[in-house]
Amino acid sequence: MYQLSGFSPLAGAQTTGSAPQFLIEMDSIDAKIQRTWANAMAEMDAAMNANMVMNLDSLMAHPVHYIPDVASKFNKGIKAASAAFMAPWNNAATKAQLIESLLRKPGTKDQFMLQVPQDRKVYIRVQSAINAFISTWQEAQNPLSILEKEMLLSPDADSSSEKTEILVSSWQASVQWLRDLRVKVTICMRPNVASTKKTEALEDIEKIMSSFIDSWKKAKGSVNDIQPFIYKVAEVKPSGSSVPNSDMPIFMPSMEGATDEFTKAWGIASSDFPDMDKVLSTIKFPDIEEPEMIDFATQEAVAKFMGSWNSALAKANTVQSGLIRLENNGRVSVKIPDQVDLSTSIQEAIDDFTDAWKRAKVSIVIFQQLFPNFSKNTATSLMHHWDDAAQSLSVIQRSLTISNSPEYGTSERRKASRQVAKAIYAFIESWTSATEKAREIHPQVYKLVGMKPSAVPVGIAPVFMPSKDSSSEFQAIWKFMVAEFDGFDKMMDEISIPKVSVATAPPKIFSLIDEDLSVQKAVTGLMASWNIASQSLDQIRKSCLISEKEKSFAIPSDKTERNTLLGAINTLMAAYDTAIRKVYQFETVILDLSEEEDGVKELKRNLAEYLYSWNTAAKRIQIVREYLTINPFLCKRCLDMKVIPEFFAACHEASLRVPKIETAFYALSGATSLDTCAACLTATSVSVTPNTKVAKKKYVAEFNKSMAQIPKTKVTTVLPVPSKFSRHVQSYSFSIRSFSSSTQTSNRLFAPVRDLPIYVEGSV
């Protein structure tokens, strides 16, 4: 360390004990470095002085210098943040439970209504609990952001940072649902409101509460996962108290042995909320029932459906990767394979896909009636789209036979080739819809057999496999079933085959939307921002990549390379900032669309997950920028092994959702009337006139201008995703394992017209 810094150790200095100290000969360094050293020492002294802290904000304001394997004496702010998070979480958990107990219909598990004759009292208590719940979220946001950074920089955090991201979005979504609930409850209690509106409001309460409980379950599950780590960084132990008959995680820290910082912060934070024991005594907790295990035949049907879906997913990937090509001009096209073996493998994949569909069709009938009503409808829609996909593949199979057979004439073979192009587009449309529906019922399928969803993420394709908590009986059924499909590993290999993503049609309602110029410019600006961010991402990858195979990264040590990396990071941060500002300008256009319209619900979900994934990436790369500019004390090993891989994984998640949202953006930006998009397989009915040519040229110029302006923007903070999107997030993963297991092509760009590329140059 002395050699690297160019300093000399203080002459005659002795180091005693097991903790070595750095004692510098000050005469050997210039005045500027002396001031730097003095400032660093003063900062450490301030962080060590707990007596200077007067309130909770100042307690949490201490700078974080995470030093692995060393007592966290520098991290006093972390201890304060832990206390400042624990107290509002406890209050939120109790308020959520109180709201459930007040609105739950007696004797039921999932039905909610305002109880009679205590409406007025219930109304007052529900409104009060909702207001308190929303307040707790506001109290918890700052300490949560501090804890999240600690998790990012700790090698002991495992998946805690990912769980914290899920907690944030789930808690935020819960707040949104309760705001809606507050409106509906108010309508029910107003005497001058028509009875029909009151009836509608009562029906809405059940739907809202169902959505709230789903979001809050995710939040509680996340807290259960991160609770041990929070106790660890706070350096306190749980008191051993627990909430009887409840899955509600709460924090009850033991003050014995707690540090002064935690004790002070806990005293301040908990004083703002009622006494926990008193609150818990007022809440009626429902009895926790042991889940009923379904019979063997039903378990077998679930396993067969799961295996059939995985097999179909693998075979669909084989077909798409075999027929879709990326041309040198950057456009996608359908190419009929001229090699016999490739054509044969596609034909066999279609046979296997059809066989999987037939098995699933038989299996799902056995257990579909066990789903909640909304999931029953989703399952029916899934099988409908799967059926359409199978029919399209049947057309492809017949047409491939004709196009590759010398027995048919040239005109017949050309006609068959056109049929393949048309059918593969129809297949992708149907299969994309089926995949979206499968994502929706994914948790319900696991719930039937008493399992938590096991994440084996490959992009956004829902893959089914038993989790560790599955019963031995189901494991045995699954093992036997997988053997029928040539093994799980083989299916996963096929699912992971790189493929060119194709744009699918936007929801039909977009044909009726005629947005003003400001919305068109905002949407265009977001697309341009993402494209610039993707180019910067490619540069960051080149700067940090050590091994493509092992997905290993490291911040370069060379000064020139670091400057290049920093420039790319600044550009990416500016692009993200610009994009979020644009989203605020058009969010209502999409969020106000009725989810009764086909494809709208899926669009909202994919857009929300796209934005949250990008936000996750921005928060991580901001820490790398902090290390490169103002805080070299951060743990570089943690940055290399955890923060940077998670950054790339989050970018990957966002990139995979671009094909899911792009055509809706093209429609909103006005590009659909100018040209066919570069990733579209079928041409749109655009009349080519002198006016459209001029308009297209102007559009491309504006698009490129928007991209060119972004690097000039300077930003220092990471803007949050508009909160209304939180309720539409279902799942997104940025764990290192999910990124390492995926080989799907990333760096997907928005290309609203054919003159623009759909991938970053050199990334495919």
Side-chain angles (χ1 to χ4, degrees):
M1 293 293 289
Y2 282 116
Q3 288 178 349
L4 286 173
S5 64
F7 299 157
S8 299
L10 184 64
Q14 298 292 324
T15 300
T16 58
S18 60
Q21 299 181 38
F22 292 98
L23 301 172
I24 297 174
E25 179 61 66
M26 302 304 290
D27 293 338
S28 65
I29 57 178
D30 60 33
K32 183 178 179 181
I33 301 299
Q34 287 186 26
R35 286 195 299 272
T36 302
W37 175 259
N39 290 338
M41 292 298 293
E43 186 179 18
M44 292 300 100
D45 289 338
M48 298 289 284
N49 184 8
N51 294 325
M52 67 179 289
V53 178
M54 301 302 294
N55 55 53
L56 194 57
D57 287 337
S58 61
L59 269 169
M60 293 189 293
H62 286 306
V64 176
H65 301 276
Y66 188 85
I67 302 176
D69 308 321
V70 176
S72 53
K73 59 185 178 182
F74 297 120
N75 297 337
K76 299 190 175 186
I78 296 298
K79 298 175 180 60
S82 301
F85 163 72
M86 290 177 179
W89 167 263
N90 286 352
N91 199 37
T94 55
K95 296 305 179 187
Q97 192 66 51
L98 177 61
I99 294 167
E100 285 188 46
S101 65
L102 290 172
L103 295 181
R104 189 182 299 277
K105 187 177 180 180
T108 66
K109 293 176 63 178
D110 300 313
Q111 295 183 35
F112 297 90
M113 61 177 292
L114 285 175
Q115 300 180 67
V116 182
Q118 299 174 320
D119 281 358
R120 177 58 57 181
K121 292 181 179 179
V122 171
Y123 164 71
I124 294 172
R125 293 187 70 190
V126 168
Q127 293 287 50
S128 176
I130 290 174
N131 292 337
F133 184 96
I134 294 172
S135 176
T136 60
W137 165 241
Q138 295 165 347
E139 293 281 345
Q141 288 184 69
N142 184 36
L144 254 179
S145 64
I146 296 173
L147 287 172
E148 184 180 9
K149 185 174 181 180
E150 168 71 1
M151 292 171 187
L152 279 172
L153 295 172
S154 169
D156 306 321
D158 295 325
S159 62
S160 293
S161 55
E162 182 176 12
K163 298 296 183 182
T164 305
E165 291 280 357
I166 296 171
L167 167 62
V168 169
S169 61
S170 301
W171 197 343
Q172 198 172 44
S174 301
V175 168
Q176 296 296 321
W177 289 119
L178 286 188
R179 282 180 174 146
D180 289 352
L181 179 67
R182 183 167 57 186
V183 173
K184 299 301 179 182
V185 171
T186 301
I187 291 173
C188 290
M189 300 311 303
R190 285 180 177 169
N192 57 342
V193 175
S195 58
T196 53
K197 287 192 174 182
K198 287 187 177 182
T199 302
E200 291 175 1
L202 285 169
E203 292 174 353
D204 289 339
I205 285 175
E206 181 174 350
K207 297 176 184 177
I208 292 169
M209 282 301 297
S210 178
S211 298
F212 165 72
I213 287 176
D214 284 344
S215 296
W216 192 238
K217 277 183 178 178
K218 290 181 184 177
K220 289 191 292 186
S222 299
V223 171
N224 268 323
D225 290 331
I226 67 176
Q227 198 171 35
F229 183 79
I230 292 178
Y231 275 125
K232 181 178 179 179
V233 296
E235 294 188 15
V236 294
K237 295 180 179 180
S239 64
S241 303
S242 61
V243 182
N245 300 323
S246 174
D247 62 347
M248 181 177 74
I250 61 172
F251 291 91
M252 292 188 173
S254 171
M255 292 296 107
E256 184 179 352
T259 62
D260 290 342
E261 294 75 35
F262 182 87
T263 303
K264 288 180 181 180
W266 178 256
I268 297 170
S270 59
S271 66
D272 293 336
F273 303 113
D275 178 73
M276 279 297 296
D277 292 331
K278 184 178 180 181
V279 171
L280 292 172
S281 66
T282 64
I283 299 176
K284 182 180 179 181
F285 291 94
D287 294 332
I288 297 180
E289 301 177 5
E290 289 293 327
E292 295 182 10
M293 183 54 67
I294 55 179
D295 58 39
F296 181 87
T298 308
Q299 290 187 64
E300 187 177 38
V302 171
K304 285 184 177 180
F305 174 82
M306 292 165 66
S308 299
W309 172 263
N310 291 347
S311 178
L313 194 63
K315 302 309 173 183
N317 206 40
T318 297
V319 173
Q320 187 171 338
S321 61
L323 293 176
I324 306 297
R325 293 287 184 272
L326 182 65
E327 303 292 349
N328 293 331
N329 58 11
R331 302 175 193 169
V332 295
S333 65
V334 178
K335 183 175 177 62
I336 307 298
D338 48 14
Q339 299 101 328
V340 176
D341 55 343
L342 180 57
S343 180
T344 302
S345 68
I346 293 175
Q347 298 271 21
E348 291 174 350
I350 293 174
D351 286 336
D352 292 339
F353 181 96
T354 305
D355 183 57
W357 165 67
K358 290 177 180 178
R359 293 192 188 199
K361 196 173 183 180
V362 173
S363 301
I364 200 169
V365 172
I366 299 174
F367 62 84
Q368 185 177 353
Q369 71 274 10
L370 301 177
F371 283 160
N373 287 334
F374 65 91
S375 293
K376 288 178 185 176
N377 297 334
T378 304
T380 300
S381 181
L382 161 63
M383 296 310 298
H384 171 73
H385 291 301
W386 197 345
D387 183 21
D388 288 345
Q391 297 303 321
S392 296
L393 287 187
S394 178
V395 174
I396 292 173
Q397 194 171 43
R398 290 195 301 270
S399 299
L400 282 177
T401 301
I402 295 172
S403 64
N404 288 320
S405 174
E407 297 178 4
Y408 295 90
T410 303
S411 61
E412 290 176 301
R413 290 202 299 270
R414 286 178 179 173
K415 182 180 179 181
S417 296
R418 290 194 295 270
Q419 282 288 94
V420 170
K422 184 178 179 180
I424 189 64
Y425 178 74
F427 165 74
I428 292 172
E429 287 278 321
S430 300
W431 187 240
T432 298
S433 298
T435 303
E436 292 293 334
K437 300 303 179 184
R439 284 187 68 198
E440 287 188 45
I441 68 167
H442 194 258
Q444 294 296 336
V445 173
Y446 277 89
K447 189 176 179 181
L448 280 181
V449 288
M451 296 188 302
K452 292 181 180 179
S454 177
V456 186
V458 179
I460 52 178
V463 179
F464 292 95
M465 73 171 292
S467 54
K468 294 179 181 179
D469 57 345
S470 58
S471 66
S472 56
E473 184 178 43
F474 187 81
Q475 290 278 4
I477 295 172
W478 174 259
K479 186 176 181 180
F480 178 78
M481 184 280 309
V482 166
E484 296 182 15
F485 290 99
D486 297 327
F488 184 79
D489 291 339
K490 184 179 179 180
M491 284 191 287
M492 290 300 296
D493 288 341
E494 281 192 81
I495 291 171
S496 300
I497 295 173
K499 63 182 179 182
V500 178
S501 57
V502 177
T504 55
K508 293 180 180 178
I509 193 172
F510 279 91
S511 62
L512 306 175
I513 296 177
D514 185 18
E515 287 304 327
D516 58 32
L517 187 60
S518 63
V519 170
Q520 292 181 1
K521 286 186 175 181
V523 175
T524 302
L526 180 143
M527 293 190 293
S529 300
W530 171 257
N531 287 5
I532 282 291
S534 294
Q535 293 174 9
S536 300
L537 168 65
D538 194 54
Q539 181 58 58
I540 295 169
R541 184 185 184 88
K542 291 174 182 175
S543 297
C544 297
L545 183 65
I546 294 177
S547 170
E548 176 69 39
K549 183 178 180 180
E550 298 178 2
K551 295 289 193 300
S552 58
F553 305 92
I555 296 173
S557 56
D558 180 76
K559 184 177 180 180
T560 302
E561 291 180 0
R562 283 197 171 197
N563 288 336
T564 301
L565 172 61
L566 183 59
I569 291 174
N570 286 334
T571 300
L572 187 142
M573 294 293 294
Y576 170 80
D577 186 84
T578 303
I580 294 299
R581 293 180 190 278
K582 300 298 182 184
V583 171
Y584 277 102
Q585 296 176 34
F586 70 83
E587 60 173 319
T588 55
V589 176
I590 292 178
L591 293 178
D592 288 350
L593 293 175
S594 171
E595 294 189 5
E596 299 298 321
E597 298 288 341
D598 190 39
V600 169
K601 184 177 181 181
E602 291 82 359
L603 171 64
K604 291 180 181 180
R605 180 173 69 236
N606 282 298
L607 176 55
E609 292 171 357
Y610 163 78
L611 294 173
Y612 272 94
S613 297
W614 196 357
N615 174 265
T616 295
K619 285 190 287 190
R620 277 147 184 76
I621 207 64
Q622 184 192 38
I623 296 176
V624 178
R625 181 172 66 176
E626 179 184 338
Y627 171 79
L628 292 172
T629 54
I630 61 173
N631 194 354
F633 298 104
L634 295 177
C635 168
K636 184 177 182 297
R637 177 165 63 93
C638 305
L639 295 173
D640 291 343
M641 299 182 66
K642 190 170 188 291
V643 176
I644 294 177
E646 285 190 1
F647 160 75
F648 285 116
C651 288
H652 183 69
E653 285 286 311
S655 180
L656 288 168
R657 284 162 177 78
V658 170
K660 303 285 187 179
I661 61 177
E662 61 179 322
T663 49
F665 278 11
Y666 301 158
L668 287 176
S669 69
T672 306
S673 61
L674 303 176
D675 196 6
T676 301
C677 78
C680 294
L681 278 177
T682 59
T684 55
S685 54
V686 177
S687 57
V688 181
T689 65
N691 288 338
T692 57
K693 287 182 179 180
V694 171
K696 175 185 171 182
K697 188 175 181 180
K698 183 179 179 182
Y699 180 91
V700 173
E702 286 293 326
F703 194 88
N704 291 331
K705 182 180 178 182
S706 297
M707 291 175 63
Q709 288 175 338
I710 290 168
K712 300 175 184 178
T713 308
K714 292 184 179 181
V715 297
T716 56
T717 58
V718 177
L719 291 177
V721 176
S723 59
K724 290 182 180 179
F725 282 101
S726 61
R727 70 175 67 189
H728 300 290
V729 173
Q730 180 173 328
S731 64
Y732 61 101
S733 173
F734 50 88
S735 67
I736 299 171
R737 182 171 61 84
S738 71
F739 178 56
S740 299
S741 67
S742 176
T743 56
Q744 298 293 322
T745 303
S746 193
N747 284 28
R748 181 64 155 76
L749 303 176
F750 288 104
V753 297
R754 283 178 290 183
D755 296 331
L756 297 172
I758 65 172
Y759 291 106
V760 173
E761 185 178 356
S763 68
V764 292

